[in-house]
Structure formats: structure tokens, C-alpha cells
Amino acid sequence: MKQPPKWLYKVAAFMRGRYGIMDSLNKFLMAVGLLLIFLTLFVHTTWLNLLGLLVLVVAYWRIFSRKIYQRAAENTKFQQHTNWVTKPLRRRYREWQQRKQYRFFTCKSCHQRIRIPRGKGKIQITCPQCRHQFRART
């Protein structure tokens, strides 16, 4: 088996004890920074380019930081603040992945999402939360 190059060991030694994670906050910062730099192709303003570079510098600063617990706490706080956007998107994506095996219904009285296997025909569905009953075709 071929040995990895020496520079790879040096990079690994440099990164030892550093945060070094592309967490959700870093991904968001990278995307925003690159988007701002991309926008300068169409809107020729220097401050937009500088702002994009500053956001990218902050993202890389977080990656190379030795304060691991503070960076993890920042990411947790970011996830808590953005959960209202990401949670429904994750749920819709999960439902989209399961669309061939299941049908998803919403209870009219409590708005609970109910997953029913496909191919059962016309059935009576009882909401597990409020016990409201309705008929549906799967």
C-alpha cells in the first residue's frame, strides 16, 4: 500500500486540537460568502465583495479555531434559531422520499400529519392525536 505524502501528515498535525468541522453554521457562512462574491459579477460594488470575503474569513477562522466548545455552542445556537425553517423542510424531504410506500394525510381538526401505507384502498383513518375520523383513498 502506498504511503500518504508528507505534507498530509503536516496538515493533520496542524489541524490537531482545532475545530476543523464544516458544521451547519460554517456551511451557511460559506454559502453566503460565495453568494455575495458571485453577486459582485452583476452588481459592481466593492463593499459587497469585501463583505463576502469577510464572511469567508469568519468561516475559515471558525474552522481553524482552537476553542472547540465555543464553536460547537455557536453552531448549536445557530441550529436552534434556524430550526423553524429547517424542520419543515426536512419533514417534507422525508415524506418525498417515502412517497412510493406511503400516503400522507393531514387531520382537518388538529393538523397532525398521518402516514398510511399505499395500496389499502378506501379506508377509515383515525387521527392518533385527536381521534377525529375521516375516509381517504390510499
Side-chain angles (χ1 to χ4, degrees):
M1 187 168 165
K2 189 176 177 183
Q3 280 282 93
K6 287 186 178 182
W7 65 268
L8 203 56
Y9 288 114
K10 290 180 182 179
V11 169
F14 174 75
M15 290 302 291
R16 198 170 296 126
R18 298 184 188 271
Y19 189 58
I21 299 174
M22 275 299 284
D23 56 13
S24 56
L25 178 56
N26 269 353
K27 288 178 185 177
F28 176 76
L29 289 173
M30 291 278 193
V32 167
L34 291 174
L35 181 70
L36 289 174
I37 291 172
F38 180 73
L39 283 177
T40 59
L41 294 173
F42 305 106
V43 181
H44 299 289
T45 56
T46 308
W47 65 270
L48 200 59
N49 198 12
L50 289 175
L51 184 64
L53 286 174
L54 179 70
V55 170
L56 287 177
V57 166
V58 168
Y60 277 106
W61 171 76
R62 289 188 77 249
I63 290 172
F64 294 130
S65 174
R66 289 187 181 266
K67 299 178 181 179
I68 295 171
Y69 296 108
Q70 289 179 2
R71 301 296 84 81
E74 290 169 356
N75 184 51
T76 302
K77 193 173 281 190
F78 173 76
Q79 287 177 336
Q80 288 171 350
H81 286 297
T82 58
N83 197 26
W84 64 275
V85 173
T86 58
K87 190 175 179 180
L89 292 175
R90 279 193 311 263
R91 188 185 76 220
R92 294 292 183 191
Y93 180 69
R94 220 175 20 252
E95 288 179 5
W96 185 77
Q97 284 181 319
Q98 298 175 2
R99 72 190 183 281
K100 291 183 181 177
Q101 294 90 13
Y102 299 98
R103 286 273 318 261
F104 293 89
F105 299 98
T106 303
C107 177
K108 304 267 189 283
S109 63
C110 69
H111 304 289
Q112 170 78 26
R113 296 289 290 171
I114 304 167
R115 185 179 74 165
I116 305 293
R118 283 190 176 272
K120 300 289 184 186
K122 246 187 175 168
I123 58 171
Q124 181 86 11
I125 299 173
T126 303
C127 176
Q129 188 170 343
C130 68
R131 301 290 178 214
H132 175 72
Q133 292 185 347
F134 57 95
R135 294 189 62 77
R137 184 174 177 86
T138 59

Short mmCIF file of all heavy atoms in Angstrom, two decimals, residues 91 105-115 125-134:
data_model
loop_
_atom_site.label_atom_id
_atom_site.label_comp_id
_atom_site.label_asym_id
_atom_site.label_seq_id
_atom_site.Cartn_x
_atom_site.Cartn_y
_atom_site.Cartn_z
N ARG A 91 -38.91 17.53 7.08
CA ARG A 91 -40.10 16.68 7.10
C ARG A 91 -40.63 16.46 5.68
O ARG A 91 -40.98 15.35 5.29
CB ARG A 91 -41.18 17.30 7.97
CG ARG A 91 -42.34 16.34 8.16
CD ARG A 91 -43.49 16.95 8.91
NE ARG A 91 -44.19 17.84 8.01
CZ ARG A 91 -44.69 19.01 8.35
NH1 ARG A 91 -44.55 19.46 9.56
NH2 ARG A 91 -45.32 19.75 7.46
N PHE A 105 -51.50 12.20 5.02
CA PHE A 105 -52.73 12.95 5.17
C PHE A 105 -52.58 13.92 6.33
O PHE A 105 -51.81 13.68 7.25
CB PHE A 105 -53.92 12.02 5.42
CG PHE A 105 -54.16 11.04 4.32
CD1 PHE A 105 -53.67 9.75 4.39
CD2 PHE A 105 -54.86 11.43 3.19
CE1 PHE A 105 -53.88 8.85 3.37
CE2 PHE A 105 -55.08 10.54 2.16
CZ PHE A 105 -54.59 9.25 2.25
N THR A 106 -53.38 14.98 6.30
CA THR A 106 -53.40 15.94 7.39
C THR A 106 -54.78 15.91 8.02
O THR A 106 -55.80 16.01 7.33
CB THR A 106 -53.10 17.36 6.87
OG1 THR A 106 -51.85 17.35 6.21
CG2 THR A 106 -53.05 18.37 8.02
N CYS A 107 -54.82 15.77 9.33
CA CYS A 107 -56.08 15.76 10.07
C CYS A 107 -56.70 17.16 9.98
O CYS A 107 -56.02 18.16 10.18
CB CYS A 107 -55.84 15.37 11.52
SG CYS A 107 -57.33 15.43 12.54
N LYS A 108 -57.98 17.22 9.68
CA LYS A 108 -58.65 18.50 9.49
C LYS A 108 -58.84 19.26 10.81
O LYS A 108 -58.90 20.48 10.83
CB LYS A 108 -60.02 18.29 8.85
CG LYS A 108 -59.97 17.54 7.55
CD LYS A 108 -59.91 18.47 6.39
CE LYS A 108 -60.08 17.75 5.08
NZ LYS A 108 -58.94 17.02 4.62
N SER A 109 -58.91 18.54 11.94
CA SER A 109 -59.19 19.23 13.19
C SER A 109 -57.92 19.66 13.93
O SER A 109 -57.88 20.75 14.49
CB SER A 109 -60.05 18.35 14.11
OG SER A 109 -59.34 17.18 14.45
N CYS A 110 -56.88 18.83 13.95
CA CYS A 110 -55.67 19.20 14.72
C CYS A 110 -54.43 19.40 13.85
O CYS A 110 -53.37 19.74 14.36
CB CYS A 110 -55.38 18.13 15.77
SG CYS A 110 -54.84 16.55 15.10
N HIS A 111 -54.52 19.16 12.54
CA HIS A 111 -53.45 19.35 11.57
C HIS A 111 -52.26 18.42 11.79
O HIS A 111 -51.14 18.74 11.42
CB HIS A 111 -52.98 20.81 11.54
CG HIS A 111 -54.09 21.77 11.27
ND1 HIS A 111 -54.68 21.86 10.03
CD2 HIS A 111 -54.74 22.63 12.07
CE1 HIS A 111 -55.64 22.76 10.07
NE2 HIS A 111 -55.71 23.25 11.31
N GLN A 112 -52.52 17.28 12.40
CA GLN A 112 -51.49 16.25 12.58
C GLN A 112 -51.23 15.56 11.25
O GLN A 112 -52.16 15.25 10.52
CB GLN A 112 -51.97 15.24 13.63
CG GLN A 112 -51.12 13.99 13.77
CD GLN A 112 -49.86 14.24 14.54
OE1 GLN A 112 -49.81 15.12 15.36
NE2 GLN A 112 -48.85 13.46 14.26
N ARG A 113 -49.96 15.31 10.90
CA ARG A 113 -49.62 14.57 9.69
C ARG A 113 -49.70 13.08 9.98
O ARG A 113 -49.13 12.60 10.97
CB ARG A 113 -48.23 14.92 9.20
CG ARG A 113 -48.04 16.36 8.79
CD ARG A 113 -48.72 16.71 7.51
NE ARG A 113 -48.07 16.08 6.39
CZ ARG A 113 -48.54 16.07 5.17
NH1 ARG A 113 -49.66 16.68 4.89
NH2 ARG A 113 -47.91 15.46 4.20
N ILE A 114 -50.40 12.33 9.13
CA ILE A 114 -50.62 10.91 9.34
C ILE A 114 -50.07 10.16 8.14
O ILE A 114 -50.37 10.49 6.99
CB ILE A 114 -52.12 10.60 9.52
CG1 ILE A 114 -52.68 11.44 10.66
CG2 ILE A 114 -52.33 9.12 9.79
CD1 ILE A 114 -54.18 11.46 10.71
N ARG A 115 -49.26 9.11 8.40
CA ARG A 115 -48.66 8.31 7.34
C ARG A 115 -49.39 6.98 7.25
O ARG A 115 -49.48 6.23 8.21
CB ARG A 115 -47.18 8.08 7.68
CG ARG A 115 -46.43 7.36 6.59
CD ARG A 115 -45.00 7.19 6.98
NE ARG A 115 -44.90 6.16 8.01
CZ ARG A 115 -43.76 5.57 8.34
NH1 ARG A 115 -42.63 5.93 7.78
NH2 ARG A 115 -43.75 4.65 9.28
N ILE A 125 -59.63 6.51 8.47
CA ILE A 125 -58.41 6.90 9.19
C ILE A 125 -58.83 7.59 10.48
O ILE A 125 -59.67 8.49 10.48
CB ILE A 125 -57.54 7.84 8.34
CG1 ILE A 125 -57.12 7.14 7.06
CG2 ILE A 125 -56.34 8.31 9.12
CD1 ILE A 125 -56.41 8.02 6.08
N THR A 126 -58.22 7.17 11.57
CA THR A 126 -58.45 7.80 12.87
C THR A 126 -57.18 8.52 13.28
O THR A 126 -56.10 7.91 13.34
CB THR A 126 -58.80 6.75 13.94
OG1 THR A 126 -59.94 6.02 13.50
CG2 THR A 126 -59.11 7.41 15.27
N CYS A 127 -57.29 9.79 13.55
CA CYS A 127 -56.14 10.59 13.95
C CYS A 127 -55.65 10.11 15.32
O CYS A 127 -56.45 10.01 16.26
CB CYS A 127 -56.50 12.07 14.01
SG CYS A 127 -55.16 13.12 14.60
N PRO A 128 -54.37 9.80 15.47
CA PRO A 128 -53.88 9.31 16.76
C PRO A 128 -53.85 10.39 17.84
O PRO A 128 -53.82 10.08 19.02
CB PRO A 128 -52.47 8.82 16.45
CG PRO A 128 -52.07 9.49 15.20
CD PRO A 128 -53.33 9.79 14.45
N GLN A 129 -53.90 11.63 17.45
CA GLN A 129 -53.80 12.72 18.43
C GLN A 129 -55.17 13.14 18.96
O GLN A 129 -55.38 13.25 20.16
CB GLN A 129 -53.09 13.92 17.82
CG GLN A 129 -52.78 15.01 18.80
CD GLN A 129 -51.87 16.05 18.20
OE1 GLN A 129 -51.23 15.82 17.18
NE2 GLN A 129 -51.80 17.19 18.84
N CYS A 130 -56.13 13.39 18.06
CA CYS A 130 -57.43 13.93 18.49
C CYS A 130 -58.59 12.95 18.28
O CYS A 130 -59.72 13.28 18.59
CB CYS A 130 -57.72 15.24 17.77
SG CYS A 130 -58.01 15.03 16.01
N ARG A 131 -58.32 11.78 17.71
CA ARG A 131 -59.32 10.75 17.45
C ARG A 131 -60.38 11.16 16.43
O ARG A 131 -61.44 10.57 16.36
CB ARG A 131 -60.01 10.30 18.75
CG ARG A 131 -59.08 9.74 19.78
CD ARG A 131 -58.58 8.41 19.30
NE ARG A 131 -57.62 7.88 20.28
CZ ARG A 131 -56.57 7.17 19.96
NH1 ARG A 131 -56.33 6.91 18.70
NH2 ARG A 131 -55.77 6.72 20.86
N HIS A 132 -60.10 12.16 15.63
CA HIS A 132 -61.01 12.56 14.55
C HIS A 132 -60.93 11.50 13.46
O HIS A 132 -59.85 11.01 13.11
CB HIS A 132 -60.59 13.93 14.01
CG HIS A 132 -61.38 14.37 12.82
ND1 HIS A 132 -62.69 14.77 12.90
CD2 HIS A 132 -61.04 14.46 11.51
CE1 HIS A 132 -63.12 15.10 11.70
NE2 HIS A 132 -62.14 14.91 10.84
N GLN A 133 -62.07 11.11 12.90
CA GLN A 133 -62.10 10.08 11.86
C GLN A 133 -62.50 10.68 10.52
O GLN A 133 -63.37 11.56 10.46
CB GLN A 133 -63.08 8.97 12.22
CG GLN A 133 -62.62 8.16 13.42
CD GLN A 133 -63.55 6.99 13.68
OE1 GLN A 133 -64.66 6.91 13.13
NE2 GLN A 133 -63.10 6.06 14.50
N PHE A 134 -61.83 10.19 9.47
CA PHE A 134 -62.18 10.61 8.11
C PHE A 134 -61.82 9.49 7.15
O PHE A 134 -61.01 8.62 7.46
CB PHE A 134 -61.47 11.92 7.72
CG PHE A 134 -59.97 11.89 7.82
CD1 PHE A 134 -59.18 11.62 6.72
CD2 PHE A 134 -59.34 12.15 9.03
CE1 PHE A 134 -57.81 11.60 6.80
CE2 PHE A 134 -57.96 12.14 9.13
CZ PHE A 134 -57.19 11.88 8.01
#
